[in-house]
Structures are given as C-alpha cells and as structure tokens.
Amino acid sequence: MPVIAPMPAARPARLPNQRDGAEDVVAAGTTVDHLTETYRAHYRSLLGLAALLLDDTASCEDVVQEAFIRVHSARKRVRDPQKTLAYLRQTVVNLSRSALRRRILGLKLLSKPMPDMASAEEGAYDQLERDSLIKAMKGLQRRQREVLVLRYFADMTEAQVAETLGISLGSVKAYGSRGIAALRVAMEAPA
C-alpha cells in the first residue's frame, strides 16, 4: 500500500493574542500527524469510493492521492480534525467528477476516423486491372463488345439490349457468351 511520507514536524503557526500580547495561540487546523493517521486508516475506503465512481484502478488511485495532497495543502482550513475524513470524501467525489468530465470531453473532441480508403498500391492494382479490361474489350468483335457494354456496364436486360441493337434475343445471348469467354482468355493470358 503506497504511503505518503509525513513531512517533518514543523512548529505550529502561532498567532499573537490580541488581548495581552504575552501568550501565543496555536492556529486551528488538521495536523500532519492526524492526516497521516487518516491516510492509514481510510485509504482503502476512499479508494473504494473512487472505484464506485470511476472504472479503472489507476484513475481511482490518482484521485485518492490527489485528494490527500489537496487536503494536506489546505489543512489549516479544516478547523475541526473530526471533519478531515468528510473533507477527503468530498474531495474524492469532486475529483472523480472532474475526471469523468475530462474523459467525456476527450471523447467528444476526438477526431472522427477517416473512412476506409484504398492504399496507393490497391489503387494502382485497380488501375492496372481496369487498363487490362479495356485492352481486352478492344480486342473483342464489335457486336460482342456492344452486347457486353450494354448488358453489364449499362445494366440493361437481355431484352433491352436486343431492342437497342436491333438483333434477336438469341443473338444477344450468343454474343454475350462468346464475349465473356474471349474476355476470360484475354484477362488470364500473361502480359
């Protein structure tokens, strides 16, 4: 269990007595020894409180440690040593809220991820395939090329292709079949 090393005992601050000036009065506040004892006795319970508010152990430990540091820094303002634990609990809650706010703000400010884009190599490969397809299409007979372009690139039905070209439905099927076979041979041939 981590322990805060107590600071060397310093002389308590003394304020002059306004009435007779002869006696000094010790300023009120939590002492370092009392804070050290509170740490030893309540560290785990404060860690449990932070764990209820936060989700990871590291953040919980950071929050509790920061709470003790802040109470130590402001120990002169905690006039009643019996209220030190209450002050620590409230500080843990406030620090936990702040940590959650920072996380939410961080999530809101995160940039949106870029859409999946093809790498340069994939783009070059696609361009090579497109170029080889165009070259193979140019090697087809005129009617085969027309049927394939209208059927697959213009997304027409066989009947629409037949009507557009003024040929029979059987001819569209024959030209399409022969054109695809010729494309397959041309695309598989080594360059």
Side-chain angles (χ1 to χ4, degrees), residues 150 155-165:
L150 291 175
D155 204 26
M156 292 182 169
T157 64
E158 290 175 338
Q160 291 170 329
V161 173
E163 184 180 331
T164 302
L165 294 178

Side-chain angles (χ1 to χ4, degrees), residues 74-165:
R75 67 186 180 276
K76 299 296 182 205
R77 288 183 287 178
V78 182
R79 302 234 181 257
D80 185 4
Q82 300 302 319
K83 293 185 180 178
T84 304
L85 183 58
Y87 191 72
L88 278 165
R89 285 184 182 134
Q90 188 61 48
T91 306
V92 166
V93 169
N94 290 341
L95 289 171
S96 297
R97 285 180 187 156
S98 295
L100 290 173
R101 263 189 242 114
R102 280 192 304 275
R103 284 185 195 170
I104 290 169
L105 183 62
L107 291 174
K108 286 181 182 177
L109 296 178
L110 278 177
S111 61
K112 302 280 189 246
M114 293 294 292
D116 291 339
M117 295 175 52
S119 66
E121 294 85 10
E122 289 176 23
Y125 184 71
D126 289 345
Q127 184 64 40
L128 286 173
E129 282 187 337
R130 216 176 357 262
D131 290 345
S132 63
L133 177 63
I134 291 170
K135 183 179 176 185
M137 288 289 286
K138 287 180 180 177
L140 296 177
Q141 296 176 2
R142 182 180 58 88
R143 281 289 187 194
Q144 289 175 346
R145 187 171 50 249
E146 290 171 350
V147 167
L148 291 179
V149 167
L150 291 175
R151 178 75 176 105
Y152 297 104
F153 294 100
D155 204 26
M156 292 182 169
T157 64
E158 290 175 338
Q160 291 170 329
V161 173
E163 184 180 331
T164 302
L165 294 178

